Amino acid sequence: MPTTLHRQKLMLAMAKELGEVRTLLERLAEELVCDVDMIDKHLEKLQQFDIISQHVDECGRLLGRMADGMTTYEALGKVGLGGLQARLARALPEG
């Protein structure tokens, strides 16, 4: 069974990976919005890149806070996207 230190290291590594995913998404979005035809045809869909990036960022920060020793409920309480916070909170017992 993994030790607390192992869990912390894994959560920090996962948080870092999620940060990398966000960077990749942002780069892709930047490339796509440079194409005027793409913007004209798919503006609403392109805006979803920002929403996805925000979700990935919040999940990474949540993992980072938990890895730094914050309780699950405290860490979850700092999630800035209300819908995401509510969905994640439903996965936990009340506390």
Side-chain angles (χ1 to χ4, degrees), residues 50-93:
D50 185 51
I51 295 167
I52 294 166
S53 290
Q54 289 178 39
H55 276 74
V56 168
D57 187 53
E58 285 287 356
C59 288
R61 288 201 254 169
L62 172 63
L63 279 169
R65 287 189 295 268
M66 290 169 53
D68 287 339
M70 193 175 282
T71 70
T72 304
Y73 294 100
E74 286 176 308
L76 186 57
K78 293 188 178 290
V79 171
L81 299 174
L84 177 61
Q85 184 185 60
R87 288 189 299 277
L88 294 174
R90 285 193 293 269
L92 299 173

Side-chain angles (χ1 to χ4, degrees), residues 4-57:
T4 300
L5 182 60
H6 286 121
R7 288 176 192 230
Q8 286 176 308
K9 287 183 177 185
L10 180 57
M11 284 190 280
L12 286 171
M14 290 171 62
K16 184 176 178 181
E17 288 298 317
L18 288 169
E20 293 294 323
V21 170
R22 180 182 181 162
T23 299
L24 292 171
L25 281 168
E26 288 174 345
R27 286 183 188 156
L28 177 58
E30 287 173 8
E31 286 184 36
L32 293 174
V33 298
C34 288
D35 181 342
V36 176
D37 292 331
M38 181 69 74
I39 292 172
D40 289 342
K41 292 179 185 177
H42 304 287
L43 180 61
E44 287 183 31
K45 291 178 185 171
L46 290 170
Q47 291 172 333
Q48 299 226 0
F49 277 99
D50 185 51
I51 295 167
I52 294 166
S53 290
Q54 289 178 39
H55 276 74
V56 168
D57 187 53

